[in-house]
Amino acid sequence: MPKAKPLTDEERAVYEWQLWSPEFGEAGQERLKGSRVLISRVGGLGSVVAYELAAAGVGTLILAHGGNIKPSDLNRQLLMTHAALGTSRVQSAERRLKELNPRLDIVAVPENMSDSNAAELVAQADLIVDCAPLFQERFAMNREAVRQSKPLVECAMYDCEASITTILPGRTPCLACRHPDAPPHWRREFPVFGAVSGTVGCLGAMEAIKVLGGFGEPLAGRLLTMDLRTMSFRMLKLARNPACPVCAT
Amino acid sequence: MTVTVSYSGQVRAAAGVSDEKFEVPDGCALDQAVARLAAARGAALKSLLLDAAGRVQPALLLFVNDEQVMTGEARMLMPGDRILLMAPISGG
């Protein structure tokens, strides 16, 4: 768990409304201030996760995302702007987040999660939020989260549907329990609205705030799915794979 | 007996509906029901439900009455069971 850091008077003023939240209070806010969160890609999902965590007062965000901003990013990647088209995604994200919260420390990593950098990136964080589209990235992240016993919030989306779960290593099924191998039919580009990624991004941020703040009930071993076309929500119980190549002991 | 089948993600697009009632024989197992669905619907859905050997696609997530059933696990169905077939999704 993160080491709590005392608040300044300015911070008490900024976070006043959430300090009123029962079970959270100043002790929870101090834990958020001492927290380091790794967000794998700050695209449609990760932009909103990062924005909400910056607003909530998480002390350090480690943002891993390669590449430059394209026009097709702009329907959902809310930390990217028209003016910044063609420039680095993480630099745009850092600039926008600093406008929102100048107290925030940001580690901007201009590359995506991979087998070669996952161990180092995960080691820097107290919690990871998976917002990546490719299963190989997600597998690297999951493997290191389990090995280093770091909580991992998993967000996903497709068209008007989305899902979210929180992996607590040693207590819950991991990503490899559900997906031992990369799904053959998954494609990197798919239909989605920004309002869908934003919805599940807010939920992912709330999961991170609860786990780091030490209150509430995270989606441990549960998969919350939603169909925003019909506004149908469903809570599913996940199974642990006793033969999981990553988390089975 | 009648069960309810819901589809999520890419399998929903291939099925063309979000859910439907489906008739299966008494004593039908989950993997048999998935094979029957694949045979009864179009090729697009079949390719998402079954692998080349005709077994349930390992990447498919299966739920009965909101509880996950691992691919390959023997699970007998009961009248009124609610099956959810979910294609894997990701972020972006």
Side-chain angles (χ1 to χ4, degrees), chain B residues 22 35-42:
Chain B
F22 191 66
R36 283 176 170 269
L37 273 167
R41 301 293 180 261

Side-chain angles (χ1 to χ4, degrees), chain A residues 44-45 131-133 135 138 156-158 161 177-179 183 185-186 190 225 227 229 234 236-239 241, chain B residues 6-10 12-13 18 47-48 57-59 61 63 66-68 70 82-84 86 88-92:
Chain A
L45 281 167
C131 304
F135 276 83
R138 301 178 67 196
M157 60 192 182
Y158 182 87
E161 297 181 63
C177 287
R178 268 181 290 149
H179 306 298
H185 297 284
W186 179 250
F190 52 88
T225 67
D227 181 353
R229 189 175 264 114
R234 199 162 175 177
L236 305 169
K237 184 178 179 184
L238 294 172
N241 179 0
Chain B
S6 301
Y7 304 96
S8 178
Q10 288 170 294
R12 173 182 170 155
S18 58
S47 69
L48 293 171
Q57 173 62 250
L61 298 179
F63 297 85
D66 294 341
E67 293 195 5
Q68 189 180 7
M70 303 301 290
R82 294 175 292 117
I83 299 168
L84 171 61
M86 180 184 293
I89 60 174
S90 219

Side-chain angles (χ1 to χ4, degrees), chain A residues 130 138 142 152-156 163-167 175 178:
Chain A
D130 170 13
R138 301 178 67 196
N142 176 69
L152 173 62
V153 179
E154 283 274 345
C155 304
S163 67
I164 177 171
T165 187
T166 295
I167 296 167
L175 178 67
R178 268 181 290 149

